[in-house]
Amino acid sequence: MARLPGRPGTRAHEPIPPLPARARQPRASRAAGGQHAVQGATSSEWAADADRPATAANLAYARLKALILDNALAPGSQRLESELAAELGLSRTPVREAMVRLEQDGLVTITPRHGMRVTAVTPADMREIYEVLNSLEPAAAELLTRRGLAAKQLAPLADACTAMERALHKEDRHAWAAADEVFHLGLAELCGNRRLAGMIMQVWDQSHRARMFTLHQRPLPERSTAEHRAVLQAVMAGDSESAREMYRLHRRRSGEELIALIERSGVAWL
Amino acid sequence: MARLPGRPGTRAHEPIPPLPARARQPRASRAAGGQHAVQGATSSEWAADADRPATAANLAYARLKALILDNALAPGSQRLESELAAELGLSRTPVREAMVRLEQDGLVTITPRHGMRVTAVTPADMREIYEVLNSLEPAAAELLTRRGLAAKQLAPLADACTAMERALHKEDRHAWAAADEVFHLGLAELCGNRRLAGMIMQVWDQSHRARMFTLHQRPLPERSTAEHRAVLQAVMAGDSESAREMYRLHRRRSGEELIALIERSGVAWL
DNA sequence: GCATTCATTTGCGTATGCATTATGTGCGGC
DNA sequence: GCCGCACATAATGCATACGCAAATGAATGC
């Protein structure tokens, strides 16, 4: 039980750090294109959902979500509506709406008299999440392949692969994770099934902190990098069976690796 | 384009019928047990989520959801916050919260100056939904089988199967659909993965109206009934591979059947 | 010294009011 | 007769106010 990243059950009183302006940027647009574009993709950038109007509720949602994903709001920590409202400089109404949405995202739990508590992800939760991803992501790969998109439209995935390979060379784990995220979410987005994509993104968000946690404990993800490239090649070759199977293998292996890592590290939640 | 159940684009002004008291009942509890318990399960009963406190916002959510699932609020119809608030006898605040939740459920879309619009499900949407279910439900069946639950704990599924068979004999399509729902949602709930279960229920809800629509146009679901029983037997036999495969086949066949039915019937949305 | 009960506080759920802003309409010009 | 613009209207988004209920702390009794 070493190095607990948070202490569920205790009331957290850390002040909320102001977010950098980039937190309001829309989800990393695939239109950007350049190879390096992928590198800047950190959670706070795509936390701002879609292109909703710049309303206070959406702002609160985006900022709280970014804080949670970036681990600035410790898992297990509790915050009252009024606290958050004061710290965000808003009234309780939009903050409340944001909390409701975050709860449906599975990122927090609202307890009537105790405000919202940031959901702590246990190894068991990670198992659930990877079971879901194990099922959904291969399906997305298969669907994407069947769409038979032109190479140009698959560029974001190719770029992400390249970015991963470059990051691997430079041993830049953060860049690698960012590219990994771009690849997985990009594939989900491109598969043509918005519901499927949304579900993948949801559990992906839920497991974001855990992935970041293991980032520096695991060996360099050489195998994962190669697997991504292989998936992409299967997709481009139009071999949907193979794409699905390769993605399934990748998903299963990397999921088990991550869960093993977390369990071995002894943390009870993330 | 015959017999459109709703007319998206037009502003609906039907008054909201009062809900029967049973709408507030918790989701059909598996504890009930009796074979006939399954027959009463209509959407309005399990629309009330979990056992949330009886707050006005939860009430609004439950009632609106029930209205939507029961097709009492036509797909495509729009309602203003203030309208709904007045009709439900509440203020706008809890209604708004309910709307936000329904939007995340994919049941409505909130358009800034036009209130909420009940999401119309097109054949393309049904394809999306069945792609998701095709992926998730077999996974749930596999997980459930691996859990190796005792026969007693699988009783709800067995009951549902029996109820389907009885309904088939009596040619009672509504009872059959109710039992079908109990089986699918019960299997999801029992699989041990709450996220997986939640996602299945979400798309299941989204497709509820479409299933109800096709209910009286399809031949008696003899094959589906047998397939459910077969899945259950595989689960009880502990053969997870077989359970998954049988469920996949059932899902695929019945999904394609339903989509074909909808497309042939010519409706553009449900 | 400890448990129990009551008073107080405080956080929440809901209602309401206000300012903002998009929409629709009507009028005028072309 | 049609199109564009300006204004009136109305619905929203947010802030605030209020009452209730739960949690906390104190005081008292055992």
Side-chain angles (χ1 to χ4, degrees):
Chain A
M1 280 249 234
R3 274 200 286 164
L4 299 181
R7 218 171 290 119
T10 66
R11 185 63 152 283
H13 284 292
E14 333 96 43
I16 295 188
L19 262 197
R22 60 187 171 85
R24 282 296 303 152
Q25 288 177 6
R27 195 178 279 262
S29 74
R30 285 169 278 118
Q35 285 183 347
H36 290 286
V38 115
Q39 294 209 355
T42 147
S43 68
S44 44
E45 297 202 15
W46 46 264
D49 249 37
D51 33 12
R52 303 219 189 208
T55 166
N58 290 335
L59 175 72
Y61 175 74
R63 291 190 57 175
L64 290 177
K65 185 168 178 180
L67 288 171
I68 293 169
L69 292 182
D70 291 344
N71 215 0
L73 241 56
S77 64
Q78 287 183 324
R79 312 298 286 247
L80 298 175
E81 268 183 31
S82 24
E83 277 183 77
L84 293 172
E87 285 160 1
L88 293 174
L90 298 169
S91 82
R92 280 173 45 221
T93 312
V95 172
R96 183 182 175 77
E97 183 176 327
M99 284 168 54
V100 167
R101 288 210 261 152
L102 289 169
E103 184 176 41
Q104 291 215 336
D105 289 342
L107 292 176
V108 308
T109 325
I110 296 177
T111 325
R113 298 291 285 188
H114 304 277
M116 74 173 207
R117 156 177 302 222
V118 178
T119 310
V121 176
T122 66
D125 287 314
M126 286 305 297
R127 233 173 261 285
E128 282 203 1
I129 288 167
Y130 275 100
E131 282 166 0
V132 169
L133 286 178
N134 242 308
S135 170
L136 289 182
E137 291 200 320
E142 182 177 354
L143 289 174
L144 171 61
T145 310
R146 285 195 202 283
R147 286 188 77 185
L149 292 183
K152 186 180 176 183
Q153 293 177 281
L154 295 175
L157 300 186
D159 291 351
C161 272
T162 309
M164 284 168 66
E165 285 150 5
R166 295 165 59 99
L168 196 64
H169 266 277
K170 291 192 284 181
E171 302 197 2
D172 182 345
R173 287 178 151 84
H174 271 291
W176 186 88
D180 182 45
E181 209 142 65
V182 169
F183 185 90
H184 282 264
L185 298 186
L187 194 144
E189 227 170 84
L190 286 173
C191 82
N193 186 324
R194 299 187 66 79
R195 287 159 228 267
L196 188 49
M199 289 174 173
I200 289 176
M201 290 179 189
Q202 187 181 329
V203 289
W204 190 270
D205 280 348
Q206 289 179 15
S207 56
H208 178 83
R209 289 194 311 261
R211 275 196 313 282
M212 292 300 111
F213 175 70
T214 58
L215 200 55
H216 293 283
Q217 312 189 351
R218 64 194 272 190
L220 277 176
E222 299 181 1
R223 185 139 170 207
S224 274
T225 306
E227 284 171 353
H228 284 106
R229 178 63 78 180
V231 168
L232 179 58
Q233 281 172 347
V235 169
M236 296 185 84
D239 185 348
S240 62
E241 290 292 311
S242 167
R244 189 191 62 209
E245 269 323 299
M246 309 211 61
Y247 215 169
R248 184 193 305 284
L249 290 176
H250 165 60
R251 208 356 108 224
R252 176 166 314 183
R253 185 196 57 74
S254 91
E256 278 171 8
E257 208 171 284
L258 185 138
I259 290 177
L261 216 57
I262 290 178
E263 286 179 340
R264 222 178 306 132
S265 81
V267 297
W269 53 74
L270 284 172
Chain B
M1 279 252 236
R3 272 200 288 166
L4 299 180
R7 218 170 291 120
T10 65
R11 185 64 150 284
H13 284 291
E14 333 96 44
I16 295 187
L19 263 196
R22 61 188 169 85
R24 284 293 305 152
Q25 288 178 6
R27 197 179 278 263
S29 74
R30 283 170 279 118
Q35 286 182 344
H36 290 286
V38 114
Q39 295 211 353
T42 148
S43 67
S44 43
E45 297 202 13
W46 45 263
D49 249 37
D51 32 13
R52 304 221 188 207
T55 167
N58 289 335
L59 175 72
Y61 175 73
R63 291 191 57 178
L64 289 177
K65 185 168 178 178
L67 287 172
I68 292 169
L69 292 182
D70 290 344
N71 216 0
L73 241 56
S77 64
Q78 287 184 321
R79 311 300 285 250
L80 297 175
E81 268 183 30
S82 23
E83 278 183 77
L84 293 172
E87 285 160 2
L88 293 173
L90 299 168
S91 81
R92 282 172 43 218
T93 312
V95 172
R96 183 181 175 78
E97 183 175 327
M99 284 169 54
V100 168
R101 287 210 257 146
L102 289 169
E103 183 177 43
Q104 291 215 334
D105 290 341
L107 292 175
V108 308
T109 325
I110 297 178
T111 326
R113 299 289 286 189
H114 304 277
M116 74 175 206
R117 156 178 301 224
V118 178
T119 309
V121 177
T122 66
D125 287 313
M126 287 305 297
R127 231 174 262 285
E128 282 203 1
I129 288 167
Y130 275 100
E131 280 166 1
V132 169
L133 286 178
N134 242 310
S135 170
L136 290 181
E137 290 201 320
E142 182 177 355
L143 289 173
L144 171 61
T145 309
R146 284 196 203 284
R147 287 188 78 185
L149 292 183
K152 185 180 175 183
Q153 292 177 279
L154 296 175
L157 300 185
D159 290 351
C161 272
T162 309
M164 283 169 66
E165 285 150 5
R166 294 167 60 100
L168 196 64
H169 265 277
K170 290 192 285 181
E171 304 197 1
D172 181 345
R173 287 177 151 85
H174 272 290
W176 186 89
D180 181 46
E181 208 141 67
V182 169
F183 184 91
H184 282 265
L185 299 186
L187 194 144
E189 226 171 82
L190 287 172
C191 83
N193 187 324
R194 298 187 66 79
R195 288 161 227 266
L196 189 48
M199 289 175 173
I200 289 175
M201 289 179 191
Q202 188 181 328
V203 288
W204 191 271
D205 280 348
Q206 289 178 16
S207 56
H208 178 81
R209 288 195 311 259
R211 275 195 312 283
M212 291 302 111
F213 175 69
T214 58
L215 200 55
H216 292 285
Q217 311 190 348
R218 63 195 272 190
L220 277 176
E222 298 181 0
R223 185 140 169 206
S224 274
T225 306
E227 284 171 352
H228 285 106
R229 179 63 78 181
V231 167
L232 179 59
Q233 282 173 345
V235 169
M236 297 185 84
D239 185 349
S240 62
E241 291 291 313
S242 168
R244 189 192 60 209
E245 269 323 298
M246 308 212 63
Y247 215 169
R248 184 192 306 283
L249 290 176
H250 164 58
R251 210 355 108 222
R252 177 165 314 183
R253 185 196 56 74
S254 91
E256 278 170 9
E257 207 172 285
L258 186 137
I259 290 178
L261 215 57
I262 290 179
E263 286 180 341
R264 222 177 308 133
S265 81
V267 296
W269 54 74
L270 283 173

